[in-house]
């Protein structure tokens, strides 16, 4: 299997202070790769670098073979890379429907987006009931659903998900993980999933990397990592 | 009572112009958190261009069209060439740059056109029409109401019904997220400034004939009144700007009509102080609803 996303020797940081050191990563098409690690390990910075919000100092970011480095942030979605940021990135002042529309506007006009929007509502019926509500009126779970739905309207090849379980009830987290599994199995979606919730993440992931202090300290299949007691104790705390 | 009715209509007519000008301030503030202090002088530049075009062609409406076009172009150029350089600096930098632009532009206008008031014709009669012997409103007031109404409806349609409007709102509310969704935030900013300057130019074209005439500083007092209107409305609420504009227009009309016209600048400042003391967020501030 070829890797849809390949990261080689990525070093990046803020204001000349590197946060990521020499990160290597490969995510095969149609798989979910979890990025695990403690607070401050560099997980969010990794995603921000992949989506162009942080400029890398060194290294390559290859999406299906072409280098993404140096592209403006707004171009990356056109290359098939959707980033759902931590805190979900729902635009509070816009309605649910406007948020969804915005998700697909870069590739189609409003009329052509009716179909994709209908699909999103079928996937998340709760959003349909709330479609005229403003973003700030939604519950935490609904916000996460909206962020996911909006990313799906973009029909991305690779989805970067930052802490989708943050602050959500276990039942909602389970629903979201089940949905990711379904999108991978039925739709061939590729996901890079940053999670603090290690158990949930490993329950859906095919592979995982463990980060500590800006470096990848372990990379393996999800099953192998669950079985590696020493690693779990050292970096994942369970 | 007759006088009250007349002053009310007069106040609403001026207020409609303040509302339009305040709306232009809100457009930029919402997107950049910067009050565009140069907006008055940009409108004056458009008015001078209109003056020149009208003078050369003999047609008021060609001049009016020139003002609209020049508003769009000026707004875009000022954003691209000047304001973009202070975009990521503290807001005070943008304010100082804008004030510098005001001084520079007023100086240049004075060099080109001279620092005297020039008569700026109104396209319609400014003599009040009487209804049952009571002076009510002028044809020019009707023109003002109609123009501002069309302008506001066009902006409402743009922002709520079109893809570009949706992108502009998204870029203003959440620039980072918008970029992730493929919105070219820089382009939206330029477009926002162009639109704001267009609206400002229309407001200038409407109000300059009602004052002393065309002068490099012709919009200074209008700016203060409209800024007050925008603050009354909360600075980031379009509806607030419209209501604020009408309120300021009415207050100034009553003060000018019942006290004397020399106290109107004081009245604006008094209103500004009262609003800032009582409701610093303005009457329609969205920021309280946003912080959930």
């Amino acid at each position: 299997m070829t890797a849809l996303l390949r990261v080689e020797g990525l070093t990046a940081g803020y204001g000349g202070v590197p946060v990521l050191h020499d990160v290597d990563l490969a995510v095969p098409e149609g798989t979910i790769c979890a990025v695990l690690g403690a607070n401050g390990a560099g997980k969010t910075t990794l995603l921000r670098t992949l989506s162009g919000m942080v400029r890398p100092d060194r290294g390559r970011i290859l999406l299906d073979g072409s280098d993404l480095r140096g592209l403006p942030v707004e171009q990356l979605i056109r290359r098939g890379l959707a980033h759902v940021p931590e805190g979900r990135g729902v635009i509070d002042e816009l309605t649910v429907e406007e948020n969804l529309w915005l998700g697909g506007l870069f590739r189609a006009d409003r009329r052509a987006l009716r179909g994709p929007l209908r699909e999103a509502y079928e996937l998340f019926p709760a959003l349909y009931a709330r479609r005229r509500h403003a973003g700030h009126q939604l519950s935490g779970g609904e916000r996460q659903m909206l962020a996911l739905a909006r990313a799906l309207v973009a029909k991305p090849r690779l989805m970067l998900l930052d802490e989708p379980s943050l602050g959500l009830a276990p039942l909602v987290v389970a629903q979201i993980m089940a949905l990711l599994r379904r999108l991978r199995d039925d739709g061939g979606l590729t996901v890079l999933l940053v999670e603090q919730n290690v158990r949930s993440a490993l329950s859906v992931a095919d592979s995982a990397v463990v980060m500590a202090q800006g470096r990848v300290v372990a990379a393996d299949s999800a099953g192998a990592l669950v079985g590696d007691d020493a690693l779990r104790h050292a970096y994942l705390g369970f | 009572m007759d006088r009250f009715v007349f002053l009310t209509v007069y106040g609403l007519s001026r207020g409609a112009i303040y509302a339009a000008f305040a709306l232009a301030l809100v457009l930029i503030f919402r997107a950049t958190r910067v009050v565009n202090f140069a907006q008055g002088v940009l409108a004056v530049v458009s008015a001078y261009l209109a003056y020149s075009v009208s003078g050369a062609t003999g047609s008021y409406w060609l001049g009016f069209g020139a003002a609209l076009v020049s508003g769009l172009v000026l707004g875009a150029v000022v954003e691209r060439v000047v304001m973009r350089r202070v975009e990521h600096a503290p807001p005070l930098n943008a304010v100082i740059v804008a004030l510098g632009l005001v001084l520079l532009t007023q100086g240049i206008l004075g060099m080109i056109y001279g620092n005297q008031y020039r008569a700026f014709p109104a396209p319609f009669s400014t003599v009040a029409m009487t209804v049952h012997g009571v002076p009510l409103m002028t044809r020019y007031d009707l023109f003002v109401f109609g123009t501002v109404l069309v302008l506001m409806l066009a902006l409402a349609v743009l922002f709520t019904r079109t893809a570009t409007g949706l992108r502009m709102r998204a870029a203003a509310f959440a620039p980072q997220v918008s970029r992730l969704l493929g919105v070219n935030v820089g382009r939206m900013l330029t477009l926002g400034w162009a639109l704001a300057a267009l609206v400002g130019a229309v407001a200038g074209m409407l109000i300059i004939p009602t004052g002393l005439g065309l002068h490099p500083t012709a919009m200074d007092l209008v700016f203060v009144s409209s800024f007050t209107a925008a603050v009354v409305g909360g600075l980031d609420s379009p509806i607030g700007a419209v209501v604020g504009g009408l309120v300021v227009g009415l207050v100034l009309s009553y003060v000018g009509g019942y006290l004397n016209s020399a106290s109107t600048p004081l009245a604006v400042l008094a209103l500004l102080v009262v609003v800032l003391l009582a409701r610093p967020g303005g009457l329609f501030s969205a920021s309280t609803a946003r912080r959930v």
Side-chain angles (χ1 to χ4, degrees):
Chain A
M1 218 179 327
T2 57
L4 178 68
L5 174 72
R6 186 177 292 282
V7 175
E8 292 170 355
L10 193 65
T11 299
Y14 304 94
V17 182
V19 175
L20 301 177
H21 303 273
D22 238 349
V23 170
D24 291 323
L25 194 69
V27 186
E29 183 146 26
T31 68
I32 298 176
C33 175
V35 180
L36 309 172
N39 266 332
K43 306 187 298 293
T44 294
T45 303
L46 173 62
L47 292 199
R48 290 172 59 84
T49 310
L50 295 182
S51 63
M53 291 197 286
V54 175
R55 293 279 162 211
D57 301 318
R58 264 183 290 126
R60 300 207 294 167
I61 303 163
L62 302 170
L63 186 70
D64 207 13
S66 70
D67 202 336
L68 299 182
R69 270 181 328 158
L71 285 179
V73 176
E74 59 265 23
Q75 285 301 325
L76 286 157
I77 188 78
R78 293 172 173 84
R79 299 294 185 100
L81 184 145
H83 181 173
V84 181
E86 196 179 356
R88 290 141 199 159
V90 166
I91 301 181
D92 282 343
E93 292 86 348
L94 303 183
T95 65
V96 168
E97 189 135 309
E98 286 172 333
N99 266 286
L100 289 176
W101 251 324
L102 195 63
L105 267 188
F106 73 94
R107 63 179 178 86
D109 64 13
R110 279 194 168 191
R111 202 185 307 270
L113 286 171
R114 283 200 192 130
L117 250 64
R118 198 175 325 113
E119 287 167 27
Y121 287 138
E122 276 163 17
L123 216 49
F124 303 98
L127 292 182
Y128 185 72
R130 305 277 257 154
R131 67 190 184 283
R132 306 252 176 266
H133 287 72
H136 65 81
Q137 293 172 299
L138 302 184
S139 71
E142 286 167 334
R143 291 168 71 83
Q144 185 58 60
M145 286 177 199
L146 176 55
L148 272 172
R150 192 178 61 187
L152 290 173
V153 171
K155 301 225 179 291
R157 303 181 66 191
L158 173 69
M159 195 188 280
L160 309 179
L161 270 180
D162 200 350
E163 303 267 7
S165 75
L166 196 72
L168 297 185
L171 190 66
V172 182
V173 175
Q175 282 172 356
I176 287 173
M177 295 303 161
L179 178 78
L180 289 180
R181 192 181 290 127
R182 217 170 94 206
L183 290 169
R184 172 196 59 193
D185 296 345
D186 302 346
L189 185 70
T190 312
V191 181
L192 190 63
L193 172 68
V194 160
E195 259 303 343
Q196 296 265 4
N197 189 336
V198 177
R199 283 172 209 272
S200 307
L202 289 179
S203 73
V204 293
D206 301 286
S207 64
V209 296
V210 180
M211 291 185 70
Q213 290 168 353
R215 291 170 205 281
V216 173
V217 292
D220 212 331
S221 72
L225 282 176
V226 172
D228 189 337
D229 288 343
L231 191 82
R232 277 192 339 197
H233 289 312
Y235 293 109
L236 304 177
F238 76 101
Chain B
M1 187 61 202
D2 297 354
R3 186 159 172 71
F4 177 78
V5 171
F6 180 78
L7 287 176
T8 303
V9 174
Y10 177 87
L12 288 175
S13 167
R14 292 300 170 277
I17 303 175
Y18 297 147
F21 203 77
L23 199 58
L25 288 174
V26 166
L27 274 181
I28 289 179
F29 185 82
R30 227 170 41 154
T32 61
R33 302 278 125 187
V34 164
V35 175
N36 178 17
F37 282 91
Q39 193 171 281
V41 83
L42 291 180
V44 172
V45 172
S46 291
Y48 269 108
L49 276 169
Y51 175 83
S52 293
V53 170
S54 292
T57 62
S59 159
Y60 172 87
W61 298 108
L62 278 179
F64 196 86
L68 301 191
V69 174
S70 73
L72 276 176
V73 173
L74 274 175
V77 167
V78 165
E79 196 278 323
R80 270 288 145 114
V81 178
V82 183
M83 301 317 283
R84 183 148 299 194
R85 289 168 210 285
V86 286
E87 193 187 322
H88 297 292
L92 190 59
N93 294 22
V95 169
I96 290 168
V97 166
L99 288 175
L101 204 61
V102 171
L103 294 176
L104 185 71
T105 314
Q106 288 184 344
I108 294 173
L109 284 174
M111 286 160 64
I112 299 174
Y113 290 95
N115 276 312
Q116 73 271 34
Y117 282 94
R118 284 165 186 271
F120 197 81
F124 296 100
S125 160
T126 50
V127 177
M129 299 180 286
T130 53
V131 177
H132 300 296
V134 179
L136 190 61
M137 61 163 71
T138 69
R139 286 188 198 283
Y140 190 70
D141 289 333
L142 282 176
F143 171 60
V144 166
F145 286 130
T147 307
V148 172
L149 195 66
V150 167
L151 196 64
M152 305 237 163
L153 287 178
L155 285 177
V157 167
L158 172 72
F159 278 105
T160 61
R161 297 268 181 271
T162 71
T164 304
L166 178 57
R167 286 194 192 96
M168 289 180 74
R169 278 152 69 213
F173 292 134
Q176 287 280 353
V177 173
S178 300
R179 292 191 76 192
L180 289 176
L181 299 175
V183 176
N184 189 332
V185 173
R187 193 178 298 163
M188 293 304 123
L189 222 51
T190 308
L191 190 55
W193 275 76
L195 268 181
L198 166 81
V199 175
V202 172
M205 289 299 287
L206 290 178
I207 205 149
I208 288 174
T210 70
L212 292 171
L214 193 52
H215 187 271
T217 62
M219 291 297 281
D220 287 6
L221 264 180
V222 179
F223 179 88
V224 176
S225 303
S226 303
F227 176 61
T228 305
V231 171
V232 168
L235 264 179
D236 61 359
S237 157
I239 295 170
V242 173
V243 175
L246 295 176
V247 168
V248 169
L250 285 174
V251 167
L252 293 192
S253 175
Y254 294 145
V255 169
Y258 290 121
L259 298 173
N260 60 66
S261 54
S263 10
T264 52
L266 268 180
V268 180
L269 294 176
L271 183 65
L272 184 59
V273 169
V274 169
V275 169
L276 286 178
L277 285 177
R279 287 205 62 167
L283 303 178
F284 294 83
S285 178
S287 55
T288 44
R290 270 168 73 186
R291 304 279 164 257
V292 179

